[in-house]
Amino acid sequence: MADHALLASGRDADVYVLDESRVLRRYRQGGDSAPEAALMAYVGVAGYPVPVVYDAQGPDLVLERLDGETLLASMLAGRTAIGAAADLLVGLLDRLHSLPARFSVDPSDRVLHLDLHPQNVMVTSRGPVVIDWRNAAEGPADLDVAMTALILADVAVSPDPQLADLARDGLDAFQRRAQPPRASQLRRAVGQRRVDPALTAVEKSALGRAAALVHTRAG
């Protein structure tokens, strides 16, 4: 992508500027972006805040270029308070879980993002927008809640003192607002994180300590 400026890089994808209104998200390990694009279109039609998808070919997604900053950047800069960020995350999860699954015949199954945390929420001029839907699936809503809590807890036990303190406070605020997930769904979330190729060995070794910070209910 020598002809296009690199805008951002994540654990498994790079984002390039195409023009003033579009970006290209390219997965470094390849894969098929069509299922992600279809899911984003489904939730977008239902009114959920996602980037517009213009095209999906192989590992490439051409998406709306969003203004603003990530929720994490806004929190670190003091523009969004921890309580407000927790309210936003819980609200976005609740809105998503109001949507029926696309394929599952179980009426209790919902659309799940499974990676909804402050780096995957953009604070834009049109409001919060949720990005990075590659891990999305269908299933019980509290699996999604468990995953968000576990991701926050992962950072809370990390060696970065600034991010760890912020994540610990953020986790506490999130858990005071969200319905606690069943213990079975936290175990499921830990299992999924344990086999996630994007996580380092050090991060996987800390999953037990992270899970111990997450409040659950029986089940």
Side-chain angles (χ1 to χ4, degrees), residues 32-50:
D32 182 9
S33 62
E36 181 178 358
L39 188 278
M40 291 173 68
Y42 172 73
V43 300
V45 166
Y48 197 79
V50 294

Side-chain angles (χ1 to χ4, degrees), residues 82-83 86-87 90 168-180 215:
I82 288 174
D87 284 336
V90 172
R168 194 174 300 110
D169 291 342
L171 174 63
D172 180 64
F174 177 79
Q175 294 194 124
R176 282 190 274 109
R177 291 160 170 80
Q179 176 71 21
H215 302 155

Side-chain angles (χ1 to χ4, degrees), residues 23-37:
V23 296
L24 170 68
R25 180 182 179 89
R26 170 166 290 170
Y27 289 104
R28 289 189 290 272
Q29 301 303 316
D32 182 9
S33 62
E36 181 178 358

Side-chain angles (χ1 to χ4, degrees), residues 25 27 36 39-40 43 48-51 89 92-97 99 110-122 129-145 147-148 151 192-193 196:
R25 180 182 179 89
Y27 289 104
E36 181 178 358
L39 188 278
M40 291 173 68
V43 300
Y48 197 79
V50 294
L89 290 176
L92 287 168
L93 286 167
D94 286 346
R95 286 178 64 185
L96 182 61
H97 301 155
L99 304 180
R110 306 282 96 184
V111 176
L112 311 180
H113 185 277
L114 295 180
D115 202 17
L116 209 164
H117 56 78
Q119 280 189 290
N120 280 340
V121 177
M122 294 293 294
V129 178
V130 179
I131 62 173
D132 194 357
W133 290 79
R134 194 170 210 193
N135 291 345
E138 298 177 358
D142 60 335
L143 172 59
D144 221 0
V145 176
M147 188 66 80
T148 291
I151 292 170
Q192 291 185 13
R193 295 282 285 171
D196 187 339

Side-chain angles (χ1 to χ4, degrees), residues 21-105:
S21 61
R22 301 177 305 150
V23 296
L24 170 68
R25 180 182 179 89
R26 170 166 290 170
Y27 289 104
R28 289 189 290 272
Q29 301 303 316
D32 182 9
S33 62
E36 181 178 358
L39 188 278
M40 291 173 68
Y42 172 73
V43 300
V45 166
Y48 197 79
V50 294
V52 176
V53 180
Y54 296 110
D55 192 25
Q57 298 286 338
D60 294 349
L61 278 170
V62 178
L63 303 167
E64 171 191 4
R65 184 177 180 180
L66 301 169
D67 60 14
E69 61 188 349
T70 67
L71 179 58
L72 177 60
S74 184
M75 294 170 69
L76 288 171
R79 286 184 282 273
T80 301
I82 288 174
D87 284 336
L88 181 56
L89 290 176
V90 172
L92 287 168
L93 286 167
D94 286 346
R95 286 178 64 185
L96 182 61
H97 301 155
S98 71
L99 304 180
R102 295 169 64 214
F103 303 116
S104 175
V105 297

